[in-house]
Amino acid sequence: MQQCQAIFENFDPATMTICCVPTPCHVGQPISYEKLSECVKIICNNDACMEGEYMHKICFDQWEYSVLTFLRSSGRARSWSEKQRLQNLWTKKGYDLAYKACGCRCGKGHLRKDLDWMAPPAPIVDQAKRKKHRKKKNDKPILSITGTNAVVKPGIIAIQPQVPVNRMRSSSISSVSSTSGSPPNSASSDCPLSPTWGPKPGFIPDQQRKERHTSGSIFSRRQDYSSFNSLPPNKINSYHIKIEDEGNQGNDEIRCFILSTLSANKTSGVNCILCYSQMIIFDRYPLIDGTFFASPRQYSNCSIPVKFDSQVQYLNAICMGCLEGWNSILLCRYCDRRWVGSDLILGTMYSYDVIAAIPCCLDRLRCNTCQQFVILPECPMQFFSDYSRSITCPTCNANDYHFIKPLTTYFIRKPSC
């Protein structure tokens, strides 16, 4: 922790602490004891741990999602619903199954959320600023949080409150069964409901008009969320769709990074790397009707080179239709298993390669040069992002992104009707 403190200028141990997230901090700033309202308290079972006890909210959300994904494949938790997994994760019932994914940076303990700790309220000045900030954004689309018997107005998606406290946020991936079938066509030719898809039967259709900023921005202003009506009902909520999150500085940095990068490239739309359908880029969350992800590999000509983590990577995008298996299905040429992206959060960006994050077979662990195993199959990487990093092959010493294979190692097929 002392080495981490030296990174920050003017670091005062009396008033500040370091984010204790095991993965790289997404905010890149120390935590002030005066602003703990934006943090989550963490407990390490190693009494001698000196790595701190607070995480930034965005760091906790993304780390929690990786732990939750580990829980999905653990023991009896496989049969739990998403809501049950989230509710049980930090209790004894779920933590006993997931603690192996909660290793602390101290190397001798495991982390867990302190359920007894209550975050202090935000300062009155901050609350007044946020209230003023919300008033300036009264032109955003409206999300109606309703119950199952509520009346839904045309053009408004009823967001079902599935997650009571902490929502899972973008930085991780999981695999669950996806929806089959193809989405219906758009109901309007003049103003399509979405850049690609129309509403699913049973949902109220509405026209989605696209506007430009009066200040000259090249990005569109989303007028409603009707493009997501084609999703299954249990996914039409802020749990699966990245919605504007007031006061979360880290999430806003991701949005600004994407928009500034695309604006510099004069790009107001992006193509899916699997089906090549075009997606319009919006100026607020959800940014696209799909998801972005950064990867060292340029999967197609439509992938955009960006400077990310001091390295040149590529901003790739997959549309909602391919994530759900409507437009195309990705099958491994080695084992014929299907890559599943239906559980990725829509409208945001993942900071690693989501296709390589979960190797489906042993051939995905082989060196790109000598074809020997880079890591032992019985010793998988701890985090999804680890599979997107360069690593040296122990056999031939070739340093490469060995786990990120080209799309030619997959079959891209149309779904059967």
Side-chain angles (χ1 to χ4, degrees):
M1 183 175 178
Q2 294 177 353
Q3 295 177 351
C4 295
Q5 292 175 0
I7 299 176
F8 304 108
E9 297 181 359
N10 302 322
F11 181 87
D12 183 6
T15 60
M16 298 178 183
T17 184
I18 302 298
C19 179
C20 65
V21 63
T23 58
C25 177
H26 295 275
V27 179
Q29 294 293 333
I31 295 175
S32 172
Y33 289 125
E34 297 179 355
K35 296 183 179 180
L36 294 181
S37 58
E38 301 175 0
C39 301
V40 177
K41 188 175 182 181
I42 302 298
I43 301 173
C44 178
N45 59 7
N46 174 23
D47 294 336
C49 178
M50 301 294 291
E51 295 297 329
E53 56 181 359
Y54 294 102
M55 286 187 196
H56 296 105
K57 182 64 167 57
I58 182 175
C59 296
F60 173 80
D61 286 341
Q62 298 180 352
W63 173 71
E64 181 191 47
Y65 194 47
S66 65
V67 178
L68 194 66
T69 304
F70 178 87
L71 182 63
R72 288 191 181 97
S73 59
S74 303
R76 61 181 180 274
R78 294 190 185 97
S79 61
W80 294 350
S81 66
E82 287 298 308
K83 186 175 181 180
Q84 288 174 325
R85 292 189 189 104
L86 188 63
Q87 290 175 339
N88 296 335
L89 178 58
W90 301 117
T91 65
K92 180 176 175 57
K93 187 176 182 181
Y95 187 74
D96 286 347
L97 301 174
Y99 78 95
K100 292 182 179 180
C102 302
C104 180
R105 286 194 308 226
C106 69
K108 298 181 180 180
H110 295 86
L111 303 176
R112 68 184 303 170
K113 181 182 178 182
D114 187 349
L115 299 178
D116 297 326
W117 184 74
M118 295 290 291
I124 298 177
V125 176
D126 290 349
Q127 291 178 348
K129 287 182 178 180
R130 292 181 182 181
K131 185 176 181 181
K132 183 178 180 181
H133 185 60
R134 284 195 295 268
K135 288 182 178 179
K136 290 182 179 180
K137 292 187 176 183
N138 57 4
D139 57 342
K140 294 195 301 182
I142 301 173
L143 275 73
S144 176
I145 300 180
T146 66
T148 55
N149 297 324
V151 177
V152 182
K153 297 181 180 180
I156 298 179
I157 290 181
I159 300 298
Q160 301 172 0
Q162 289 189 355
V163 186
V165 181
N166 291 320
R167 299 193 192 102
M168 295 187 295
R169 279 326 195 195
S170 65
S171 177
S172 187
I173 182 176
S174 59
S175 57
V176 295
S177 59
S178 60
T179 306
S180 60
S182 301
N185 295 325
S186 176
S188 172
S189 59
D190 296 329
C191 298
L193 292 168
S194 165
T196 309
W197 308 279
K200 187 175 181 180
F203 289 91
I204 301 175
D206 187 28
Q207 292 182 339
Q208 177 171 304
R209 297 181 297 276
K210 294 168 285 292
E211 300 177 355
R212 303 293 183 188
H213 281 289
T214 56
S215 60
S217 172
I218 65 174
F219 303 109
S220 300
R221 174 63 55 87
R222 191 186 290 271
Q223 298 301 303
D224 57 57
Y225 295 87
S226 59
S227 60
F228 300 104
N229 282 352
S230 48
L231 290 170
N234 64 311
K235 290 188 177 181
I236 304 181
N237 50 59
S238 57
Y239 183 83
H240 290 90
I241 304 171
K242 171 62 179 164
I243 305 298
E244 199 76 30
D245 197 354
E246 295 284 353
N248 199 327
Q249 181 181 358
N251 286 336
D252 192 64
E253 287 180 354
I254 294 174
R255 180 176 68 88
C256 291
F257 166 76
I258 294 174
L259 297 184
S260 61
T261 300
L262 297 177
S263 179
N265 286 272
K266 298 181 180 180
T267 302
S268 60
V270 63
N271 293 332
C272 173
I273 63 172
L274 301 182
C275 69
Y276 295 98
S277 60
Q278 189 176 31
M279 291 174 282
I280 292 175
I281 300 170
F282 297 94
D283 64 333
R284 306 281 175 85
Y285 289 117
L287 299 177
I288 56 172
D289 293 351
T291 194
F292 287 108
F293 69 94
S295 172
R297 179 175 293 280
Q298 186 177 19
Y299 280 103
S300 69
N301 293 332
C302 56
S303 302
I304 303 170
V306 297
K307 196 70 174 293
F308 192 78
D309 286 343
S310 301
Q311 295 180 347
V312 176
Q313 298 199 35
Y314 295 90
L315 191 62
N316 302 278
I318 303 179
C319 69
M320 181 169 63
C322 290
L323 293 174
E324 293 292 327
W326 299 332
N327 291 359
S328 62
I329 296 176
L330 204 61
L331 296 174
C332 176
R333 287 181 180 269
Y334 305 129
C335 65
D336 205 37
R337 293 181 183 176
R338 174 181 173 180
W339 176 79
V340 179
S342 59
D343 208 39
L344 292 177
I345 298 174
L346 298 173
T348 185
M349 185 194 80
Y350 286 74
S351 59
Y352 56 85
D353 194 307
V354 297
I355 297 179
I358 302 181
C360 57
C361 61
L362 298 181
D363 288 315
R364 298 280 164 190
L365 305 178
R366 296 185 182 277
C367 172
N368 289 334
T369 302
C370 67
Q371 299 304 312
Q372 298 299 315
F373 286 120
V374 178
I375 60 173
L376 297 176
E378 60 269 20
C379 300
M381 296 289 193
Q382 184 176 5
F383 301 105
F384 297 126
S385 58
D386 291 340
Y387 291 99
S388 297
R389 296 173 181 167
S390 60
I391 188 172
T392 301
C393 174
T395 303
C396 67
N397 294 324
N399 188 276
D400 196 1
Y401 299 97
H402 296 289
F403 308 120
I404 304 179
K405 309 297 184 184
L407 283 181
T408 53
T409 60
Y410 293 92
F411 293 107
I412 302 177
R413 295 177 179 173
K414 295 293 182 181
S416 57
C417 299

